[in-house]
Amino acid sequence: MDFNSGSGGGGGGGNELHNNQFYQCEENKPLLGEMSEGNNNTKLGAGPCKRSLHHCSSSGMRYKLLHEGDIQVCVVKHPRTFLSKILTSKFLRRWEPHHLTLTDSSLTSATPTGYMETSLSYSSIEDLQLLSWDNAPKYCVQLSFPGGTVLLQAANSYLRDQWFHSLQWKKKIYKYRKVLNNPSRWDVVLKEIRALVDMALTSPLQDESIHQAPLHIISTLLAENSNLSPQDHENIIVAIAPLLENNHPPPDLCEFFCKHCRERPRSMVVIEVFTPVVQRILKHNMDFGKCPRLRLFTQEYILALNELNAGMEVVKKFVHSMHGPTGQCPHPRVLPNLVAVCLAAIYSCYEEFINSRDNSPSLKEIRNGCQQQNDRKPPMPLRLLRPEPPTPPPTTLLPLSTNPAPPHEILVELERNNNSANTKRKAGPSGGDSEPNLIDCLLVSPAVNTLSIQLPAQADRVLGCFALILKMLSDYDDWRPALASLLQPIPFPKEALAHAKFTKELKYVIQRFAEDPRQEVHSCLLSVRSGKDGWFQLYSPGGVACDDDGELFASMVHILMGSCYKTKKFLLSLAENKLGPCMLLALRGNQTMVEILCLMLEYNIIENKDTQLQIISTLESTQVGLRMYEQLCDRQRELKELQRKGGPTRLTLPSKSTVRLRRCVQGLLRAHENWSDRCVIHCVCCVSPCLQFGDAGLRLLSEHLACLQVLNLCETPVTDAGLLALSSMKSLCSLNMNSTKLTADTYEDLKAKLPNLKDVDVRYTEAW
């Protein structure tokens, strides 16, 4: 008889699906190798922690784990007489269609009637096998239970095998859950755990729960039995290690791993077993917010590496192993995950202080449900030290070359606190009870309200470890742009920025950002939005992180001025927010700041006459400042003479002299600030590519010469990035872009945005 009337659930196909298919497990990747050098007690591959290779079956079908499906059901009671045996074996006729669900403990029908009126518990199933006796119906699975047999008939052999393996898996996992729920002897428990792991590794089912279910059972076991010996810890970790090669550990297991890292950081399993687990977390984790215990485990693992004899050298080798030997890291998630771990670890050093300061519950209290403020006892393990304000050094100023400032009130912008909030103060003439002048105020450090926190020894080690990791990350060229972007919002507690050791390591990172020639890197030194401090502000004199008299600040200003095409805009920002630190550094003879002050005067950035006199006095206080100021005065006199004669009407930049070209361009841009619009009529840039007149120079022209009418860029190495800046020069009527890297889209965009453009040369470009 043929009982193929039933419909199968989940998948399909016939005997043709039994073609041989080969599945090969991914080979185990080598661990960190010599990473533990210097630690004689931690040798790879030694002792009971040596990992064995578990290979999947080299061939055979793979099935998805079934949770429910449609199938035909027939129940056969055990025969008691010869007649009933004949009727049972030859005249099976009644089959019932059911939609069965494979729960964690039983086989249940969506319509509990007939054969499946009551659920069939996995514990009552004595045997499970494919039907093979003579004249048996096709594609059946036989479930033996006390008093009878349940037959499940699928539509084809693939579905039959899928039901068979799924039921077998559910039955076995139910058994292990009960056995490991109430352990008696740990040697037996360890044996059962190894058998459970082997079952998961050899199962033909392919599903995430195949490896996750054993991990959850073991994590529950460990959570309920916290008094295990260290040797039991290691044995269990080694036993479940193969399941962790392609799976993240569940939260309870992460806590168990964290405890092991804290209590036995020099254990061999830390490197042998935890290393590939942490590597997989850093490579594949997408959001630590959804699984914070993975981040905590990664943090504890790194701290355990730091406890080895080699210390930070081991951590450095681990970071290098995550980056890879090439110049480009192949895993895009490694850097943001490492940064997230570092930031969380640094914040944890100050968590209790911040929570007590803000009167908010800690993360641990929130997890435990203790959110009542009245019941909280704010722990204060950190001692607050308020440094005495430094005594301001005396100041000596050279006399002004012009008439001194009149004795009336001067409106001056002074920075207060460290949050870029400007407070206006009135400064009058010195003497009496009047306010001090601007330069006197600059010599007094405004950071007298900074809190210095003395951390416990362990927290101080954590802070130093993860600060050094950030330092390591900044040494990789391909990681630096993303790292600068991640750190641009300054995601550290302000108390950490006042920590001398942390600030020292962080200063190295910021210095690498400042030295990087790529604009996407050093532009991250600026704040993410107006009104919020960036690294540029924090490392300025008086800033909370400044410990070098402003040397790093001057370096940042130098690189930003050298690459920022919005030069005038940047100078306006400096004049508005950082004029005081600039003048202070200029008084100390810093050449970059002297140039900044001269540019502010030359571009008429400072409108207040009394502030201009203060800047002039600052410039005359040093030899380099006096020399540059005299050169500025000479240029101003030449400009006035040029204006008296009617101003220039045409400028042709030389094509052979790089020095002359640069001077002409700079002179043109500076001079235009004092020209009338009618003076700027014609500019011809007849330069060759070797002169490197590129996009940056073109942006400068577009910013300062908005009224330019004629521009020749023939054979210059400008690209679309610079040519798009010309859209702000609405007066352009003649534009030569012959033999440039102009594209058709940019050309169409320029035509739409330049209404006066009549004469255009685009020969030998993509737009031609």
Side-chain angles (χ1 to χ4, degrees):
M1 289 182 291
D2 190 0
F3 294 87
N4 281 335
S5 58
S7 60
N15 292 331
E16 67 275 9
L17 294 176
H18 283 280
N19 295 332
N20 289 333
Q21 298 181 10
F22 296 91
Y23 299 84
Q24 187 174 0
C25 285
E26 182 182 359
E27 294 183 359
N28 287 342
K29 298 181 178 179
L31 301 182
L32 297 184
E34 69 279 1
M35 199 178 75
S36 60
E37 288 181 357
N39 184 3
N40 297 329
N41 299 326
T42 313
K43 295 183 179 180
L44 295 178
C49 298
K50 186 174 182 180
R51 304 175 63 213
S52 59
L53 299 179
H54 292 263
H55 293 281
C56 297
S57 177
S58 60
S59 64
M61 300 297 296
R62 292 290 182 261
Y63 309 91
K64 182 174 177 60
L65 177 64
L66 274 177
H67 297 284
E68 58 180 335
D70 296 323
I71 199 167
Q72 297 290 313
V73 180
C74 180
V75 176
V76 180
K77 300 294 184 179
H78 284 175
R80 297 180 180 274
T81 65
F82 180 74
L83 180 60
S84 63
K85 183 176 181 180
I86 295 176
L87 294 175
T88 299
S89 62
K90 293 187 177 182
F91 301 101
L92 295 175
R93 293 186 179 276
R94 192 164 71 88
W95 291 80
E96 294 178 355
H98 283 273
H99 184 83
L100 300 184
T101 302
L102 285 73
T103 65
D104 291 338
S105 59
S106 63
L107 187 64
T108 307
S109 174
T111 55
T113 58
Y115 292 142
M116 298 301 299
E117 184 176 0
T118 59
S119 300
L120 182 61
S121 173
Y122 298 139
S123 60
S124 65
I125 299 177
E126 297 176 343
D127 190 22
L128 178 65
Q129 59 185 356
L130 299 176
L131 201 58
S132 60
W133 39 274
D134 295 338
N135 299 323
K138 285 186 177 181
Y139 315 131
C140 283
V141 179
Q142 177 181 340
L143 286 69
S144 300
F145 66 95
T149 299
V150 176
L151 299 179
L152 304 179
Q153 185 188 48
N156 52 63
S157 60
Y158 182 86
L159 284 178
R160 177 199 62 189
D161 294 346
Q162 189 178 19
W163 275 96
F164 172 75
H165 291 297
S166 298
L167 284 167
Q168 193 177 48
W169 170 262
K170 288 284 187 178
K171 179 178 174 1
K172 289 184 178 180
I173 207 71
Y174 174 76
K175 179 199 108 174
Y176 282 110
R177 189 177 287 111
K178 290 191 65 177
V179 170
L180 297 177
N181 188 30
N182 296 310
S184 56
R185 294 172 51 191
W186 280 103
D187 55 341
V188 177
V189 169
L190 185 60
K191 182 178 179 181
E192 293 292 338
I193 289 176
R194 289 170 179 163
L196 175 60
V197 171
D198 289 338
M199 183 190 74
L201 293 174
T202 57
S203 174
L205 295 172
Q206 285 187 326
D207 193 86
E208 182 181 357
S209 62
I210 299 303
H211 288 174
Q212 287 296 328
L215 290 176
H216 281 287
I217 292 174
I218 296 170
S219 64
T220 303
L221 170 68
L222 295 173
E224 295 174 354
N225 299 270
S226 57
N227 56 347
L228 296 178
S229 66
Q231 188 60 43
D232 289 333
H233 280 186
E234 291 193 1
N235 291 336
I236 293 176
I237 292 173
V238 173
I240 64 176
L243 292 179
L244 297 173
E245 291 181 356
N246 297 309
N247 298 274
H248 291 334
D252 291 340
L253 202 55
C254 283
E255 289 196 358
F256 174 72
F257 289 170
C258 290
K259 180 180 178 182
H260 188 83
C261 288
R262 288 191 295 267
E263 295 179 354
R264 304 197 68 192
R266 295 173 178 266
S267 170
M268 288 179 287
V269 301
V270 172
I271 291 181
E272 292 194 14
V273 180
F274 290 167
T275 295
V277 179
V278 174
Q279 286 176 334
R280 188 181 188 279
I281 291 173
L282 292 176
K283 290 177 182 178
H284 301 291
N285 176 69
M286 298 301 296
D287 185 7
F288 276 130
K290 297 179 180 179
C291 42
R293 294 184 186 179
L294 288 179
R295 180 178 61 196
L296 183 61
F297 167 50
T298 306
Q299 173 184 332
E300 294 293 346
Y301 166 79
I302 293 175
L303 291 175
L305 293 184
N306 193 34
E307 292 295 324
L308 299 177
N309 290 344
M312 286 307 299
E313 286 299 319
V314 181
V315 178
K316 185 176 181 180
K317 290 181 180 179
F318 172 74
V319 172
H320 182 71
S321 72
M322 296 308 306
H323 179 275
T326 62
Q328 191 76 20
C329 179
H331 303 285
R333 293 301 309 167
V334 168
L335 176 65
N337 284 335
L338 273 174
V339 173
V341 171
C342 292
L343 297 183
I346 293 170
Y347 180 86
S348 68
C349 298
Y350 296 90
E351 181 181 0
E352 292 183 347
F353 170 75
I354 293 173
N355 293 329
S356 61
R357 179 193 66 191
D358 299 337
N359 197 25
S360 60
S362 66
L363 296 177
K364 183 177 181 181
E365 290 174 326
I366 292 175
R367 286 196 299 265
N368 297 334
C370 304
Q371 300 186 21
Q372 297 294 332
Q373 294 185 3
N374 295 332
D375 299 336
R376 295 179 61 238
K377 296 180 180 180
M380 294 290 292
L382 310 177
R383 293 189 291 116
L384 306 184
L385 305 176
R386 291 182 179 271
E388 295 295 330
T391 304
T395 179
T396 304
L397 299 179
L398 295 179
L400 295 173
S401 61
T402 57
N403 294 330
H408 62 270
E409 293 182 344
I410 304 174
L411 193 62
V412 179
E413 298 282 345
L414 288 181
E415 294 193 355
R416 283 292 172 183
N417 301 324
N418 291 317
N419 55 2
S420 298
N422 295 327
T423 305
K424 293 186 177 181
R425 298 188 58 183
K426 292 184 178 180
S430 59
D433 297 330
S434 61
E435 297 289 340
N437 62 29
L438 177 61
I439 299 181
D440 291 335
C441 292
L442 294 180
L443 297 177
V444 181
S445 174
V448 295
N449 294 327
T450 301
L451 283 177
S452 178
I453 299 176
Q454 183 172 340
L455 295 175
Q458 177 61 24
D460 193 69
R461 285 195 295 270
V462 172
L463 189 69
C465 174
F466 288 96
L468 282 172
I469 291 179
L470 291 175
K471 182 178 177 181
M472 297 173 193
L473 299 179
S474 68
D475 286 332
Y476 292 94
D477 291 339
D478 60 317
W479 276 355
R480 203 173 299 131
L483 179 63
S485 178
L486 291 170
L487 299 186
Q488 186 178 12
I490 311 182
F492 303 106
K494 59 184 179 182
E495 293 81 9
L497 296 173
H499 192 280
K501 184 177 180 181
F502 177 74
T503 305
K504 179 181 178 181
E505 304 298 342
L506 196 60
K507 181 181 176 182
Y508 176 87
V509 178
I510 304 305
Q511 185 72 45
R512 294 307 303 266
F513 294 164
E515 295 172 352
D516 197 293
R518 293 168 291 186
Q519 186 176 355
E520 64 267 26
V521 178
H522 57 246
S523 63
C524 291
L525 299 172
L526 302 173
S527 58
V528 292
R529 61 179 182 272
S530 60
K532 180 177 175 59
D533 280 353
W535 298 112
F536 184 73
Q537 286 80 14
L538 291 185
Y539 279 94
S540 63
V544 66
C546 181
D547 60 351
D548 57 358
D549 295 331
E551 293 181 5
L552 179 57
F553 172 74
S555 176
M556 288 190 285
V557 172
H558 179 75
I559 188 68
L560 289 171
M561 282 296 298
S563 63
C564 183
Y565 63 89
K566 295 288 185 181
T567 306
K568 187 174 182 180
K569 182 179 179 181
F570 185 63
L571 288 173
L572 284 169
S573 175
L574 283 177
E576 180 180 356
N577 301 312
K578 291 299 172 185
L579 180 59
C582 291
M583 295 176 65
L584 179 59
L585 291 173
L587 279 174
R588 294 171 179 169
N590 186 279
Q591 185 170 350
T592 299
M593 292 305 164
V594 171
E595 293 178 359
I596 292 295
L597 294 182
C598 288
L599 287 174
M600 288 181 180
L601 294 176
E602 192 168 4
Y603 287 165
N604 288 332
I605 300 296
I606 306 298
E607 297 181 356
N608 188 284
K609 298 298 181 182
D610 297 318
T611 306
Q612 291 180 6
L613 293 177
Q614 294 280 0
I615 293 176
I616 295 173
S617 175
T618 302
L619 292 173
E620 291 184 331
S621 300
T622 61
Q623 293 294 329
V624 61
L626 181 61
R627 174 171 52 81
M628 290 189 178
Y629 178 66
E630 290 176 350
Q631 294 174 357
L632 171 62
C633 293
D634 292 339
R635 291 197 299 271
Q636 294 294 330
R637 283 192 292 268
E638 293 175 358
L639 276 176
K640 288 183 179 180
E641 181 64 21
L642 186 62
Q643 285 180 308
R644 187 182 66 80
K645 296 179 179 180
T649 59
R650 183 183 182 91
L651 176 64
T652 300
L653 300 180
S655 58
K656 295 183 179 181
S657 173
T658 306
V659 177
R660 291 179 58 194
L661 170 65
R662 186 181 300 114
R663 290 177 179 174
C664 287
V665 172
Q666 292 175 350
L668 173 66
L669 299 181
R670 292 172 179 172
H672 177 252
E673 301 299 326
N674 296 318
W675 292 353
S676 61
D677 291 340
R678 65 179 180 84
C679 294
V680 184
I681 298 176
H682 205 139
C683 176
V684 182
C685 296
C686 300
V687 298
S688 61
C690 62
L691 298 180
Q692 298 181 353
F693 181 85
D695 294 336
L698 198 54
R699 294 189 188 103
L700 284 171
L701 288 176
S702 64
E703 178 187 3
H704 292 275
L705 303 178
C707 299
L708 197 65
Q709 297 178 7
V710 180
L711 181 60
N712 185 353
L713 300 173
C714 181
E715 295 184 359
T716 57
V718 294
T719 65
D720 286 346
L723 291 169
L724 284 173
L726 298 178
S727 58
S728 62
M729 304 172 68
K730 303 299 182 182
S731 300
L732 272 178
C733 59
S734 178
L735 180 59
N736 187 350
M737 295 178 286
N738 188 325
S739 302
T740 62
K741 297 180 181 179
L742 173 71
T743 63
D745 292 340
T746 301
Y747 177 52
E748 294 297 328
D749 187 63
L750 287 175
K751 287 196 300 182
K753 294 180 179 180
L754 298 176
N756 297 322
L757 195 60
K758 299 177 182 178
D759 183 15
V760 184
D761 187 351
V762 294
R763 289 175 297 171
Y764 307 108
T765 66
E766 292 184 11
W768 187 30

